[in-house]
C-alpha cells in the first residue's frame, strides 16, 4: 500500500501502512526529532521515588530540564558543573554534593546520582565515587548511567533506570513466601490520579498493591516487592523488561494488561481475578463497565464518526486506540517518538492493516499528515500542541494534565474532556475571527484556517 505522504528516502521505513515501522534507530542527522534524551527517560522512570535524593551530576541546565516530569515539579540537586570541572575533573565536587544533599534531606533512604553528557565525555568514575559515599553515609548511593548520547531515545533511559532499581533496591528485604493477595504494578506513574483508580478496582477484587513502579515506589516497598504474587505490567516499555527479570530472579509471574478503556479494563480485571482464582469477586466487572458506558453516552453521541490522530509513547498506543474506538472515533494515524517492536506489533493488532503508523516523526511529517487527513482531534505530547492549534485542530495532551483516564471512571473523564475539546466554539472560527456555521467544511493553509 502506498505511503500517504512524501518522506525523504532515509525515512521511508519509519512509516508503514500495513506492517510495523522501523524503530529503535538513531534519528537522522539534521532532522529535528520529537524525542528526548536518556537522562529524561531515566527521570521519567525514577522521579516519583519520594524518599530518595535525586542528584544530577552535570551542568545546571540538565537539572533544570529534568526537574519537571509529567507536569509535576520535583526537587532535584545538581553539581552544576562548569568549565573548570569539565577540564580538571569533578570527582571531589560530586562527593561534596552527595554529602550536602543528604544533610539537607537527612531522612532520605537513598541517593540517586544521574550522569549527563558532560560526565560521560570526561570519563568520570561515578560508580567508584558512589561506592565510597555509600560506605561513608551508610545508605545506598546509586549511579544511574544515563548520558544523553548513550542511546537512540529516552526509551534507553527507561531501561537504565529499571536496571538500577533491580540491582540496588528490588528484593533487598529478607526472602519469604508470597504475601497473600498481593501484587506489584510495573510501569504505572500515577498520572493525575490514575493509580488511585486502579488501586480501587484491585481492592474490589480483594488485592493489595505492595509497590507501584514508580508512581508509588519507595526504598522500603521496593525491598519487599519480591514477595508479590503477581506483577501487573501496565506500560510495556518500562515494565515488561523488569517483569521478565523479576520472574527469572524471584519466580514472580506477570501479566501485561491495560486499564485504559472499558473493554481493556474489564479484561484486565477478569484476567487478574482468574489468576488469583477469585471469579466471585469479579462478578461486578461487566455491570460496572456497562454503567460507565451509560454515564459516557451523552458524550459518545457527540463523538461518533469523528477522526483522531495519536502521537505519543508506543507502549500506550494500542490500548488508547481501542479506547478512542469505544468513543466512536476513527483512528486515522498512530505514531510515536520512540517505540520497540513489541509495542508496535501490539498496536498494529489493535489497529488492523491500513492505518498509518509512524516512528520518530518530525514536525514537517506531522504537519503533512494533519493537512492530508484533517483529524478532528490530535492527541500527543506538549511539543505538538501549538502546531495543532495553529492549524485549527483541537489538541489533547497525553499523558493527561487534568484528571485520571484509567479505569471505568477514567473512561468517562476521557469522553467528557474529548467531547468538550472537539465541540469548543473556538474551532468554528475562521481566520477573520467570525463564527462559521456548524458543519461548514474548512481547509487549512500552512499558517491559518480558512472557510471554504
Amino acid at each position: 500500500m502506498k505511503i500517504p505522504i512524501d518522506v525523504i528516502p532515509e525515512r521511508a521505513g519509519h512509516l508503514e501502512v500495513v506492517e510495523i515501522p522501523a524503530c529503535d534507530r538513531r534519528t537522522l542527522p539534521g532532522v529535528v526529532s520529537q524525542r528526548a534524551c536518556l537522562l529524561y527517560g531515566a527521570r521519567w522512570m525514577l522521579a516519583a521515588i519520594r524518599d530518595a535524593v535525586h542528584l544530577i551530576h552535570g551542568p545546571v541546565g540538565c537539572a533544570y530540564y529534568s526537574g519537571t516530569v509529567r507536569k509535576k515539579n520535583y526537587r532535584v540537586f545538581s553539581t552544576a558543573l562548569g568549565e573548570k570541572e569539565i577540564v580538571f575533573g569533578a570527582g571531589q565536587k560530586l562527593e561534596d554534593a552527595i554529602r550536602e544533599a543528604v544533610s539537607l534531606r537527612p531522612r532520605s533512604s537513598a541517593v540517586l546520582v544521574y550522569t549527563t553528557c558532560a560526565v560521560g565525555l570526561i570519563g568520570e568514575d561515578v560508580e567508584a565515587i558512589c561506592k565510597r559515599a555509600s560506605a561513608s553515609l551508610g545508605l545506598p548511593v546509586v549511579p544511574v548511567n544515563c548520558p544523553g548520547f548513550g542511546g537512540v531515545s529516552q526509551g534507553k533511559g527507561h531501561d537504565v533506570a529499571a536496571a538500577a532499581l533491580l540491582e540496588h533496591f528490588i528484593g533487598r528485604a529478607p526472602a519469604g513466601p508470597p504475601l497473600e493477595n498481593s501484587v506489584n504494578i510495573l510501569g504505572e506513574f500515577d498520572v493525575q490520579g490514575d493509580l488511585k483508580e486502579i488501586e480501587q478496582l484491585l481492592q474490589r477484587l480483594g488485592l493489595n498493591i505492595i509497590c507501584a513502579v514508580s508512581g508509588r515506589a519507595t526504598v522500603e516497598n521496593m525491598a519487599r516487592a519480591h514477595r508479590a504474587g503477581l506483577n501487573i505490567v501496565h506500560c510495556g516499555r518500562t515494565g515488561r523488561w523488569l517483569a521478565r527479570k523479576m520472574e527469572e530472579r524471584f519466580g514472580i509471574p506477570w501479566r501485561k494488561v491495560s486499564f485504559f478503556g472499558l473493554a481493556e479494563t474489564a479484561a484486565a480485571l477478569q484476567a487478574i481475578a482468574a489468576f488469583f482464582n477469585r471469579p466471585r469477586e469479579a462478578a461486578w466487572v461487566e455491570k460496572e463497565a456497562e454503567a460507565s458506558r451509560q454515564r459516557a453516552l451523552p458524550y459518545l453521541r457527540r463523538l461518533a464518526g469523528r477522526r483522531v490522530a495519536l502521537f505519543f509513547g508506543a507502549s500506550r498506543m494500542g490500548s488508547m486506540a481501542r479506547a478512542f474506538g469505544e468513543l466512536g472515533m476513527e483512528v486515522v494515524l498512530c505514531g510515536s517518538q520512540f517505540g520497540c517492536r513489541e509495542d508496535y506489533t501490539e498496536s498494529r493488532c489493535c489497529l488492523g492493516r491500513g492505518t498509518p503508523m509512524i516512528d520518530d516523526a518530525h514536525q514537517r511529517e506531522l504537519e503533512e499528515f494533519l493537512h492530508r487527513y484533517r483529524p478532528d482531534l490530535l492527541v500527543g505530547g506538549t511539543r505538538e500542541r501549538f502546531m495543532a492549534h495553529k492549524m485549527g485542530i483541537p489538541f489533547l495532551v497525553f499523558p493527561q494534565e487534568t484528571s485520571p483516564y484509567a479505569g471505568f471512571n477514567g473512561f468517562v473523564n476521557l469522553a467528557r474532556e474529548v467531547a468538550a475539546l472537539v465541540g469548543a466554539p473556538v474551532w468554528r472560527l475562521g481566520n477573520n475571527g467570525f463564527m462559521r456555521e456548524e458543519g461548514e467544511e474548512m481547509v487549512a493553509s500552512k499558517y491559518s484556517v480558512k472557510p471554504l
Side-chain angles (χ1 to χ4, degrees):
M1 191 175 292
K2 186 179 183 299
I3 296 175
I5 65 169
D6 295 327
V7 295
I8 58 177
E10 294 86 352
R11 285 277 305 154
H14 290 261
L15 173 59
E16 287 288 343
V17 181
V18 177
E19 303 299 332
I20 64 171
C23 55
D24 278 331
R25 298 182 183 178
R26 292 188 179 276
T27 300
L28 290 176
V31 172
V32 180
S33 173
Q34 306 291 83
R35 289 173 170 174
C37 69
L38 258 72
L39 170 63
Y40 198 78
R43 287 288 297 152
W44 184 271
M45 184 80 169
L46 302 175
I49 301 176
R50 58 182 180 271
D51 60 342
V53 167
H54 298 262
L55 175 61
I56 312 299
H57 185 33
V60 70
C62 294
Y64 178 81
Y65 167 62
S66 59
T68 302
V69 180
R70 296 182 293 273
K71 205 68 176 180
K72 292 182 181 178
N73 294 319
Y74 292 95
R75 187 179 186 185
V76 297
F77 296 87
S78 173
T79 49
L81 300 188
E83 183 178 355
K84 178 181 176 182
E85 290 80 25
I86 300 299
V87 174
F88 296 106
Q92 187 60 51
K93 189 169 189 179
L94 175 58
E95 291 191 50
D96 294 342
I98 293 171
R99 292 191 180 89
E100 183 179 358
V102 172
S103 70
L104 292 172
R105 293 194 59 184
R107 296 184 180 179
S108 298
S109 302
V111 179
L112 295 171
V113 178
Y114 303 80
T115 62
T116 59
C117 293
V119 174
L121 288 170
I122 65 177
E124 200 84 75
D125 192 354
V126 175
E127 187 171 350
I129 295 170
C130 289
K131 285 182 178 179
R132 290 198 300 269
S134 180
S136 172
L137 296 170
L139 75 166
V141 180
V142 177
V144 183
N145 188 27
C146 53
F149 56 76
V152 300
S153 71
Q154 62 264 47
K156 180 64 175 177
H158 299 334
D159 300 338
V160 168
L165 293 181
L166 183 66
E167 183 66 26
H168 297 279
F169 297 108
I170 293 175
R172 290 297 173 179
L179 299 174
E180 187 176 2
N181 300 325
S182 61
V183 299
N184 297 319
I185 303 182
L186 308 181
E188 170 50 46
F189 305 104
D190 195 20
V191 178
Q192 298 298 326
D194 277 345
L195 181 56
K196 185 177 180 181
E197 292 290 331
I198 296 170
E199 183 176 35
Q200 289 173 348
L201 294 173
L202 293 177
Q203 286 175 346
R204 292 184 67 177
L205 296 179
L207 303 177
N208 300 309
I209 299 174
I210 295 178
C211 179
V213 179
S214 59
R216 199 184 295 162
T218 65
V219 173
E220 186 273 333
N221 65 29
M222 284 191 289
R224 295 186 293 112
H226 63 303
R227 298 188 61 187
L230 177 69
N231 277 332
I232 299 171
V233 176
H234 198 211
C235 179
R237 178 70 198 227
T238 55
R240 193 182 286 117
W241 180 90
L242 194 54
R244 288 170 177 160
K245 292 297 182 181
M246 291 179 72
E247 185 175 35
E248 293 174 9
R249 185 172 297 188
F250 307 115
I252 305 174
W254 59 280
R255 298 289 186 272
K256 170 69 174 72
V257 302
S258 171
F259 291 97
F260 293 113
L262 298 179
E264 292 273 352
T265 300
L269 293 171
Q270 290 166 344
I272 294 167
F275 175 85
F276 285 98
N277 194 25
R278 304 173 75 86
R280 290 185 179 179
E281 286 78 356
W284 54 271
V285 171
E286 290 296 339
K287 293 181 180 179
E288 187 73 20
E290 182 56 33
S292 298
R293 183 177 286 107
Q294 293 302 316
R295 290 164 53 203
L297 199 57
Y299 312 116
L300 304 188
R301 295 192 183 104
R302 293 155 59 184
L303 296 174
R306 299 278 193 164
R307 296 151 61 88
V308 59
L310 310 179
F311 189 76
F312 44 78
S315 61
R316 296 277 166 87
M317 282 198 314
S319 57
M320 290 304 292
R322 286 196 186 103
F324 279 100
E326 290 181 303
L327 294 179
M329 304 183 75
E330 177 191 359
V331 178
V332 295
L333 167 69
C334 252
S336 177
Q337 301 94 337
F338 68 99
C340 61
R341 290 190 64 85
E342 285 179 292
D343 292 333
Y344 282 124
T345 301
E346 179 183 321
S347 300
R348 176 57 74 193
C349 291
C350 299
L351 294 168
R353 295 169 179 261
T355 302
M357 292 180 64
I358 189 167
D359 175 80
D360 190 25
H362 53 80
Q363 182 166 326
R364 180 189 169 278
E365 290 174 345
L366 288 176
E367 283 182 347
E368 191 165 345
F369 256 114
L370 296 178
H371 281 299
R372 181 71 57 89
Y373 285 93
R374 294 303 300 167
D376 298 290
L377 178 70
L378 173 63
V379 185
T382 306
R383 290 185 180 94
E384 295 82 42
R385 182 203 302 263
F386 302 105
M387 174 186 66
H389 285 176
K390 288 177 181 178
M391 298 175 68
I393 296 173
F395 183 82
L396 177 69
V397 176
F398 187 80
Q400 70 274 16
E401 298 180 343
T402 51
S403 57
Y405 287 172
F408 298 125
N409 291 329
F411 178 80
V412 179
N413 293 337
L414 175 65
R416 181 181 61 251
E417 293 179 16
V418 171
L421 279 172
V422 172
V426 66
W427 307 118
R428 302 203 303 273
L429 289 174
N431 65 329
N432 57 3
F434 291 101
M435 193 73 70
R436 67 187 178 94
E437 294 299 322
E438 186 71 40
E440 182 182 354
E441 293 186 18
M442 302 187 77
V443 61
S445 70
K446 188 170 183 180
Y447 299 106
S448 64
V449 179
K450 300 176 181 178
L452 284 173

